[in-house]
Amino acid sequence: MRARVVGALAVSSLLLSPPAAVAQQAPGVIVGSVRDASGRALAGASLEVTGTAYRAVSDRQGEFRLANLPAGTVLVRARYIGYQPVSASVTVAAGATVPLAFVLRESVKELAEITAEGQVLGQAQALNVQKTADNLVNVVDAELVGRLPDQNVAEALARVPGVAITRDQGEGRFVLIRGTPANLTGVSINGDRVATPEQNQRQVPLDVIPVGQVAALQVSKTLTPDMDADAIGGSVNLVTRTAISSKWQFDAAAAGGRNDLTSEPIWNVTGNAGRRFGANDRFGLIVGGTYYETGRGSQNIEPNWCFQNPGSCRGVAAADELNTLAELDIRDYPQVNRSRYGFNGTFDVRFSPESEVEFRAAYSRFSDDEVRQRNRVRFDNGTFTPTGPATGTVAGGRLERQTRLRRVNQDLLNLQLAGRHPLAGGQLDWAAGYSEAKEDRPGVSTITWRQNGIGFGYDFSNPELPSYTVTAGSETDASLFPYNSLVREQRFVRDGAYSTRANLTIPFRLGDGVGAFKVGVLGRFRNRESIQVNRTLAGFASNGATLAGVATPLPNNIPLNIFSVAPPRDIVLGGAARTYTTGPFADAARMQELVDSYLNRFAVNAQASRLSSDANTWTAGEDVYAAYVMTTLDFGKLRIIPGVRYEGTRVATLGNRVTATASTPTTGAVNFDNFFPSLTARYQLSEGTNLRFAATTSLFRPNFYDLVPYINIPAGQPGVTLGNPALRPARAQNLDLLAEHYFTNVGVISGGFFYKRIDDFIFPATVPLAAGNTEFGPDARFLTTPTNGDRAEVYGFEAAWQQSLSFLPGFLSGLGVNANYTYAQSSATIPLRNNLQTTLPGQFRHSGNVGVFFDRGPVSLRVGGNFVGRYLDTVGIDAQNDRYYESRFQLDAAGSLRLTRQVTIFGEFLNLTNQPLRYTFGETTARLNQNEFYSFWGLVGARVGL
């Protein structure tokens, strides 16, 4: 019902607007720019013709366009937070284009003295863009990003109100907006959707992109019809740099540091340079690059409990399964060598103040070279003899030592050719782009050694730090660990998308109001492939094989000296009371030599190799066609934007039905057609105060792999996984209400409410097979498949306060506060769990940031804390198997000292609180599933800028 009301409002307004647009052609145009006294462009400046409803906003180059003006003399006023307003009288002639340039000066003299240079401009740019935006958006400008201790885009976005991130090895990776899962977040670069290197997901890993490549980060929490509709949570747009002045733009930084856990070095170098040149600054060119390298590490334990597979722990009573471990994984990552580098460039040509063409290119590569040592303790392979609810002994258990060498390269390439030109009294803008993402795993090697018949004594009374002793067998004698298997995985994922779009905006007058009629079309054509080749190597074929001159072989003739001669590392979980000693493990260098020199001497397990390879090999093609129509109407202090968007989706897939005996290709096809009505309104209560409202609709298309009609039936395993070509896209109806007030000394306070109703939300469902069902083989006991839920609701509020406290006396006037908090609640119905009412998977209830900064003269200091509350991560087969992400608070700090106008030294320190990554099972039982620690890391360096 709500969607039909919004649609009726949109259609009725649009029926009125086009005739007015046709009947009244624009007699005059003012095209101009807004800059500060140093010549830097001021983005987001508000322009208005006094006494009328004519308005405009300056773009990233500080340029604006006031169209459809009546002939005569008008007074144009420019406003910008933190700067004095300026007015200019302009005579407009019929059919003429009049140039106008504004130069603004800081409004508060002492503010310039208090604030470190560039800081006011960075904050002011971001806040002015937010203030003048048609939709509800948060902006982080490059000037501000450079003063935060964040190395990738995901970490910078975590500072935004209502935004949380997931982390990998302690670094930010995926973005969640307003308590919705990461796959409901759309990601664009310069307005074009970004391909993703993830094998099975649509979500984009933003740790691939260095922050040094972007000029601004824009988080849109509401959508207008000219924006892509597939962003239920919200949309992130990364704006790359452009040349904005005939003066040289130049900035460079170099820093070095270390990681506390590994004592490995960290290096970071970044730089950008460009300017405008030629007659009337006709040409613009800017190029930049960044390189980041770090030696990281982590340590964790990952328990699995007997209750997760009832009856699997022999000798354990059902009442004690909650307190008894089936297995314990103790993992050490002594080497996580990561590098991140990127290049970006923009070249543009301005034919006139209203006509230009630009070419943008951005490339990023993220490399992750890991060594993982895994000590797997299998209690459930033996028989338990309990002596209490969480204590006892095990006879006939198993110990495994596993070493994995993994190198992953992820690449993102984005190319765009775009332009804007006057047409039919209005403006035409267009863009054609190509986005390509790749993931290459040239060879992941995992070697496993196994010792059976182990006796254990165990004490799990502290489920956070479970302990055990070995009573039969040995943890440290390498000769007692026979070789079990070597698995080689090669994976290549490619996602390529061509897109083209065009928009035509025609201004018009309507009574005492003015507005613009806007229409547009889009086409995006995407092809995605996943190719995986696994080889499971079961035996070693050559007797007497030697490695590095050592002839003593282990069982199955694997050279003994592949085991590390160094003493085993202790696993200390964040300074916890219990230390886990593990080893021996395969030495990484010797294992790599073994793989390189002896790989062809291993016998191949053909069945296991085929099962894992074919199940993960698939292709998908997706074409999206979109069109929209919208009207922007200004009546005094009120702006309303009704409109409707159409998106049609065509998907074709190819996968495999994989069983113990054969792999059979399977194809699928699915089509979606959706309409998205919306109404957005902004009312200016005063010069610095806005009241915003939005009623919008959006969707999430199923992940490509979820639509592939694959079936994976592993031999001897109880779990079967399969795709679901019948999946429907999740659709959302959204309501937003926000009030915001901007301070003249560069700050904002805001608060608002939001509501989302999501129909057909998608989640992975695990269901048991009925007794006697042999459709999926004799061993199958349960199925896991992506499934549409019934309905989910997400609602909550967010509040933000950012302000320089320049009104305080003396030294204290350099202080400032940047704090935000988001509360979100949800309700979702899970049909396959007897219509269970639960929270939406991936939805966090609490998130926020609290930061204090000090800027005075050459000194800039910042301390910030980021918090995300506990949330349901994965819906399990029952309540005890639901997986939860535990709450996390991270404290970071940064500081800088300006030595000269051009040179600044700085320091950045992250995760000072050594916050772990924690997952648990069960909403109330909260049995530990993962506890991973990283310690802290930091850098010091110097920055040079013109």
Side-chain angles (χ1 to χ4, degrees), residues 95-120:
T97 298
V98 183
L100 177 61
F102 285 103
V103 177
L104 275 57
R105 300 184 182 277
E106 291 170 341
S107 60
V108 185
K109 180 178 183 294
E110 58 268 25
L111 192 63
E113 299 172 354
I114 293 169
T115 309
E117 184 155 339
Q119 191 64 28
V120 167

Side-chain angles (χ1 to χ4, degrees), residues 39-114:
R40 288 183 291 191
L42 298 180
S46 176
L47 289 304
E48 64 178 24
V49 178
T50 59
T52 74
Y54 290 99
R55 301 174 186 171
V57 176
S58 62
D59 61 17
R60 293 293 304 178
Q61 289 74 43
E63 298 176 349
F64 67 90
R65 183 177 190 268
L66 283 163
N68 203 37
L69 296 170
T73 300
V74 298
L75 187 66
V76 182
R77 190 172 180 84
R79 289 188 175 92
Y80 202 79
I81 298 172
Y83 289 75
Q84 299 174 24
V86 175
S87 298
S89 180
V90 181
T91 299
V92 179
T97 298
V98 183
L100 177 61
F102 285 103
V103 177
L104 275 57
R105 300 184 182 277
E106 291 170 341
S107 60
V108 185
K109 180 178 183 294
E110 58 268 25
L111 192 63
E113 299 172 354
I114 293 169

Side-chain angles (χ1 to χ4, degrees), residues 43-44 57-60 125-126 128-130 132-133 135-142 145 153 156-157 160-161 163 175 177 185-193 206 214-223 227 231 234-240 360:
V57 176
S58 62
D59 61 17
R60 293 293 304 178
Q125 292 237 88
N128 276 281
V129 173
Q130 289 179 197
T132 55
N135 62 325
L136 201 165
V137 63
N138 294 106
V139 180
V140 182
D141 192 88
V145 168
V153 165
L157 288 167
V160 173
V163 174
V175 171
I177 300 177
T185 300
V187 178
S188 303
I189 293 182
N190 300 316
D192 284 348
R193 277 305 167 92
L206 290 176
V214 298
L217 308 173
Q218 301 171 340
V219 179
S220 294
K221 297 172 182 175
T222 63
L223 305 177
M227 301 173 66
S235 179
V236 174
N237 185 41
L238 314 181
V239 182
T240 59
R360 298 178 186 243

Side-chain angles (χ1 to χ4, degrees), residues 246-304:
S246 57
K247 296 181 180 180
W248 275 102
Q249 298 167 241
F250 176 78
D251 64 85
R258 66 185 287 269
N259 182 285
D260 177 67
L261 185 65
T262 62
S263 298
E264 292 294 322
I266 305 172
W267 303 104
N268 188 28
V269 180
T270 185
N272 295 275
R275 58 167 292 190
R276 303 205 65 80
F277 57 94
N280 299 316
D281 292 340
R282 183 176 185 181
F283 303 100
L285 176 65
I286 190 168
V287 294
T290 181
Y291 180 81
Y292 177 81
E293 180 182 297
T294 179
R296 305 180 63 81
S298 65
Q299 298 179 336
N300 76 56
I301 60 171
E302 298 187 19
N304 286 310

Side-chain angles (χ1 to χ4, degrees), residues 199-380:
Q199 184 179 32
N200 298 328
Q201 305 289 322
R202 288 183 182 269
Q203 58 201 38
V204 178
L206 290 176
D207 57 350
V208 178
I209 305 175
V211 292
Q213 284 192 280
V214 298
L217 308 173
Q218 301 171 340
V219 179
S220 294
K221 297 172 182 175
T222 63
L223 305 177
T224 50
D226 53 350
M227 301 173 66
D228 289 306
D230 53 337
I232 288 178
S235 179
V236 174
N237 185 41
L238 314 181
V239 182
T240 59
R241 299 170 184 261
T242 56
I244 58 177
S245 172
S246 57
K247 296 181 180 180
W248 275 102
Q249 298 167 241
F250 176 78
D251 64 85
R258 66 185 287 269
N259 182 285
D260 177 67
L261 185 65
T262 62
S263 298
E264 292 294 322
I266 305 172
W267 303 104
N268 188 28
V269 180
T270 185
N272 295 275
R275 58 167 292 190
R276 303 205 65 80
F277 57 94
N280 299 316
D281 292 340
R282 183 176 185 181
F283 303 100
L285 176 65
I286 190 168
V287 294
T290 181
Y291 180 81
Y292 177 81
E293 180 182 297
T294 179
R296 305 180 63 81
S298 65
Q299 298 179 336
N300 76 56
I301 60 171
E302 298 187 19
N304 286 310
W305 301 83
C306 294
F307 70 79
Q308 294 176 258
N309 192 5
S312 63
C313 297
R314 295 184 296 275
V316 177
D320 293 331
E321 288 183 332
L322 179 66
N323 301 307
T324 307
L325 283 183
E327 64 179 72
L328 176 64
D329 267 14
I330 306 167
R331 302 189 180 196
D332 182 20
Y333 292 80
Q335 173 188 307
V336 183
N337 292 335
R338 289 186 163 183
S339 65
R340 182 184 300 110
Y341 63 85
F343 306 95
N344 61 277
T346 301
F347 175 73
D348 68 89
V349 181
R350 295 181 182 173
F351 303 104
S352 73
E354 296 185 87
S355 180
E356 69 173 353
V357 172
E358 62 181 10
F359 174 74
R360 298 178 186 243
Y363 170 77
S364 302
R365 163 166 279 207
F366 173 73
S367 295
D368 186 15
D369 186 2
E370 292 184 1
V371 175
R372 185 190 73 186
Q373 306 286 22
R374 177 184 181 189
N375 176 30
R376 192 180 188 196
V377 185
R378 291 292 302 269
F379 304 105
D380 59 348

